Amino acid sequence: MTDELTHFNDQNRAKMVDVTDKQVTHRTAVATGQITMHPETLDRIHQGQIKKGDVLAVAQVAGIMAAKQTSNLIPMCHLIPLTGVDIHFEDNDADTITVNAQVKTKHVTGVEIEALLAVQTTLLTIYDMCKAIDRGMLISNVHLVEKDGGKSGHFIYQS
């Protein structure tokens, strides 16, 4: 781990890092997060009884759209041509949905922020679609699970 911050210029002001000379490589990132809710809310999602529609289908599309818009939302992120975004859901049949997002590119910089934004947006969409019946939902444990490609190599989250 380095202590050097790369997003500051010689005047100690913000800059977008210059990636001009970096190698094009295959890069992937996987992020995850959870939303916990009342058991009745999860039951209604499973049964398709949320008035706004199919919660997981809408949330999945929202997460994919978010990954594609990352550079418009996070100031120092580069515009990256994504080659794949995939969002998966798991739940514990009780009160929690886990969202996993995998993002891929063949480019000069990684897609960690894209994966994290996809997870956050997916979770927020679930919240938005269910808030009329459960305002106490908790979004938690959002983090990078794994990334690969580029100079910094392979990273796997260690809890």
Side-chain angles (χ1 to χ4, degrees):
M1 186 170 204
T2 179
D3 289 334
E4 183 180 325
L5 297 175
T6 58
H7 286 75
F8 294 97
N9 65 18
D10 59 0
Q11 295 179 328
N12 218 20
R13 303 196 48 88
K15 73 170 185 175
M16 180 185 253
V17 173
D18 183 356
V19 294
T20 305
D21 295 328
K22 289 179 78 176
Q23 286 283 92
V24 171
T25 62
H26 290 277
R27 296 163 186 264
T28 62
V30 177
T32 192
Q34 297 177 322
I35 186 164
T36 303
M37 60 196 66
H38 292 301
E40 299 81 22
T41 306
L42 185 56
D43 285 343
R44 288 180 69 176
I45 291 170
H46 284 160
Q47 295 169 19
Q49 295 179 343
I50 302 294
K51 289 184 180 182
K52 288 187 175 185
D54 184 337
V55 173
L56 300 184
V58 173
Q60 190 171 38
V61 171
I64 292 167
M65 291 173 64
K68 294 171 22 176
Q69 294 297 314
T70 302
S71 67
N72 291 328
L73 298 170
I74 308 299
M76 300 305 164
C77 278
H78 294 85
L79 178 61
I80 298 174
L82 302 181
T83 58
V85 180
D86 194 7
I87 308 230
H88 286 267
F89 301 97
E90 299 171 18
D91 70 65
N92 64 359
D93 284 323
D95 63 356
T96 302
I97 297 173
T98 300
V99 173
N100 296 295
Q102 181 182 60
V103 180
K104 295 180 179 183
T105 191
K106 186 175 180 183
H107 201 55
V108 297
T109 191
V111 287
E112 298 95 292
I113 302 302
E114 288 76 3
L116 287 162
L117 184 60
V119 167
Q120 290 280 25
T121 302
T122 302
L123 292 166
L124 286 168
T125 302
I126 293 169
Y127 184 95
D128 177 58
M129 293 188 71
C130 299
K131 69 183 181 217
I133 60 169
D134 189 354
R135 292 202 185 271
M137 291 175 281
L138 174 67
I139 293 173
S140 62
N141 298 321
V142 176
H143 64 275
L144 183 66
V145 174
E146 184 175 8
K147 71 131 268 69
D148 197 21
K151 186 171 67 171
S152 62
H154 194 200
F155 165 85
I156 298 177
Y157 176 79
Q158 305 286 326
S159 59

